[in-house]
Amino acid sequence: QVQLVESGGGSVQVGGSLRVSCTASGRTFSRYAMGWFRQSPGKEREFVAGITWIAGNTYYADSVKGRFTISRDNAKNTLNLQMNSLKPEDTAMYYCAADRTFTTVVPTTEMEYDYWGQGTQVTVSS
């Protein structure tokens, strides 16, 4: 069993930066692919970024490519998402997720992930 706890959300102005983190429990964290999803009111949850246990494999949604950076620290069981040049459309609840299946390809759909955090709110205002 893996428990995920997000932190670091908050409010920021357009063009600003924010970093959200996810701390995982469980000894096998380093083996899991990890991802970030987000959901805005009235919209479906969407994939933002993911990273495999081979940390060199990352994948981003087109909407955040070049602005967001996903990283992980397996020694600290921590997943991070650095968000720069934030836009109002980035406003959402951000969720951390873990896929326990060994994979070298970043999973991008909700159904591929087995564990989810409770989310942290990010609000970008103009």
Side-chain angles (χ1 to χ4, degrees):
Q1 189 72 14
V2 173
Q3 290 187 329
L4 305 174
V5 179
E6 299 94 339
S7 62
S11 297
V12 65
Q13 291 190 328
V14 170
S17 298
L18 205 60
R19 178 174 169 145
V20 292
S21 297
C22 172
T23 301
S25 64
R27 295 177 293 176
T28 56
F29 170 81
S30 63
R31 292 283 184 174
Y32 295 167
M34 301 293 296
W36 286 99
F37 287 74
R38 66 185 181 187
Q39 187 170 24
S40 304
K43 294 186 178 180
E44 293 185 353
R45 190 154 54 183
E46 63 176 356
F47 173 81
V48 175
I51 186 168
T52 62
W53 77 276
I54 303 173
N57 294 355
T58 59
Y59 189 79
Y60 298 90
D62 288 342
S63 59
V64 306
K65 200 172 296 182
R67 299 188 297 121
F68 290 12
T69 302
I70 189 171
S71 63
R72 66 189 298 165
D73 185 337
N74 290 335
K76 296 181 179 179
N77 280 9
T78 300
L79 177 73
N80 300 303
L81 184 68
Q82 177 67 40
M83 303 181 289
N84 299 328
S85 302
L86 283 161
K87 305 175 181 180
E89 51 264 43
D90 295 319
T91 295
M93 185 72 79
Y94 282 72
Y95 297 91
C96 166
D99 173 10
R100 63 186 175 188
T101 305
F102 175 78
T103 178
T104 58
V105 177
V106 175
T108 61
T109 64
E110 287 187 68
M111 63 185 298
E112 295 178 275
Y113 288 87
D114 302 292
Y115 304 104
W116 292 84
Q118 294 300 306
T120 185
Q121 178 67 38
V122 171
T123 302
V124 184
S125 58
S126 56

